[in-house]
Every structure is written in C-alpha cells, then in structure tokens.
C-alpha cells in the first residue's frame, strides 16, 4: 500500500547536495532546467514553454509536500519525488508500506554521480525514518542514465509495464523494487 508521506519540513544533506522543500524563489532555477530539450522527455513530460507553466508545477510541488528540490552549489538543479506507485499493478504489495521515487536532473549535472547520491539519501530517510518496507523506481526503456542510477542504488528488476506520458505517448517502463533490509517480508 502507498504509505502517507509529508516532506514539508524535511531537509536532507549529502556531501554535495541539499534536498529540501521547494520555494517560490526556486522558479528561475526550475525553469532553467525544465525548458531544456531532452530533460523532461526522459520522465514523461515535454520541455516547459514558459515560466507560467513552470510556476504551476512549482505550486504543485510546494502544495503536495512530496517532492524534494535538489540544491547543488547554490542552485536548484533537479527534483526527486516520492510518488504513489500504481497499486493496481502490484496487488502482491498490498500488505507492505511503500512508495515510488522519480527524479529529474539538469543536463549540465548529468554524469557527475549527483542523482545516485540524492537517491541513496532519500532511500536512507524513507527506510530509517519513515519505516517504509519497499521503494519502487521505474525508467523508460530508452533511458539508460536513469537505469544506471536505479542499478547503482540497489534496485532489482520487477516487471515491465506500459506508461502513458503527459504528452499522450506510451513508453515501456522498466519497474524495479528495493526492499528495506529491516522489512519483515512474508
């Protein structure tokens, strides 16, 4: 089952990153990476056309309390959301507390190991503090960078599912799972 999550007061630190709640003052940083071609498409959304589009999504991030802003060297360079997984596709997980993570990183930061660093810290928090039993993570079949992050963080293949993007295409999503070592799996 999808466990309740509220990240409104959660701030996490890694050697290079601060993971924190979004602020209205993050608009320009968010727009800078969200408008770049090739960034959003890897997560199922098109590049933002203008600041107003970015502002609407920023308002959702602020209001929903489930997405971290990734701050690196004084700028927000990405996001990491703790989303609801699709329970319909995973009836076998109904007895366990879990969530799905999703993430996006600005192109200039690709290949630096920042996302695995962020994901590992979020895993630590969700398992040690929130006491989740498992986490899911999916990536589009063509998104080899995201696949590598998932692999580096210890997730293992679970199943392949169709995923309808926000721009009405269907991608193949490779789904992986990571069990909390402390979980009592039946």
């Amino acid at each position: 089952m999808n466990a309740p999550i509220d990240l409104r007061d959660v701030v996490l630190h890694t050697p290079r990153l601060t993971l924190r709640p979004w602020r209205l003052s993050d608009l320009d940083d968010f727009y800078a990476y969200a408008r770049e071609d090739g960034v959003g498409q890897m997560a199922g959304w098109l590049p933002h056309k203008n600041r107003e589009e970015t502002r609407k999504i920023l308002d959702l991030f602020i209001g929903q309390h489930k997405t971290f802003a990734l701050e690196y060297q004084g700028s927000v360079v990405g996001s990491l959301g703790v989303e609801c997984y699709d329970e319909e596709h995973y009836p076998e997980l109904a007895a366990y507390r879990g969530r799905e993570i999703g993430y996006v990183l600005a192109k200039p930061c690709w290949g630096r190991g920042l996302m695995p660093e962020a994901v590992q810290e979020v895993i630590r928090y969700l398992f040690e503090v929130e006491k989740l039993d498992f986490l899911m993570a999916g990536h589009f079949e063509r998104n080899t960078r995201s696949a590598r992050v998932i692999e580096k963080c210890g997730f293992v293949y679970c199943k392949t599912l169709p995923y309808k993007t926000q721009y009405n295409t269907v991608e193949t999503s490779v789904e992986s799972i990571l069990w909390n070592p402390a979980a009592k799996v039946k």
Side-chain angles (χ1 to χ4, degrees), residues 21 35 49 52 70 79 88 97 109-110 128 139 162 176:
R35 71 180 180 206
K49 294 181 226 50
E52 183 54 37
L70 304 182
S79 67
E88 184 179 308
R97 298 178 75 245
C109 295
W110 290 1
E128 291 179 11
H139 66 87
S176 297

Side-chain angles (χ1 to χ4, degrees), residues 6-69:
D6 187 334
L7 303 174
R8 84 179 75 211
D9 297 319
V10 179
V11 177
L12 306 174
H13 298 279
T14 72
R16 298 180 292 169
L17 298 165
T18 298
L19 289 79
R20 59 165 176 79
W22 284 86
R23 305 177 200 139
L24 289 175
S25 59
D26 296 326
L27 178 63
D28 289 339
D29 288 347
F30 185 14
Y31 180 60
Y33 76 79
R35 71 180 180 206
E36 282 207 48
D37 189 46
V39 174
Q41 293 98 320
M42 292 298 169
W45 47 271
L46 293 172
H48 293 189
K49 294 181 226 50
N50 53 53
R51 278 184 173 73
E52 183 54 37
E53 181 178 1
T54 303
R55 172 65 188 262
K56 288 178 184 174
I57 296 165
L58 178 60
D59 288 344
L60 287 175
F61 285 172
I62 291 170
Q64 293 176 341
H65 311 294
K66 64 181 177 76
T67 304
F68 287 108

Side-chain angles (χ1 to χ4, degrees), residues 118-150:
V119 169
Q120 288 166 346
E121 179 59 15
V122 169
I123 290 168
R124 184 204 61 76
Y125 172 79
L126 293 172
F127 284 175
E128 291 179 11
V129 178
E130 295 291 338
K131 306 295 186 200
L132 296 187
D133 296 316
F134 69 91
L135 286 170
M136 303 294 301
H139 66 87
F140 295 157
E141 206 167 39
R142 63 187 167 86
N143 188 346
T144 56
R145 289 181 183 278
S146 194
R148 189 70 183 115
V149 170
I150 290 167

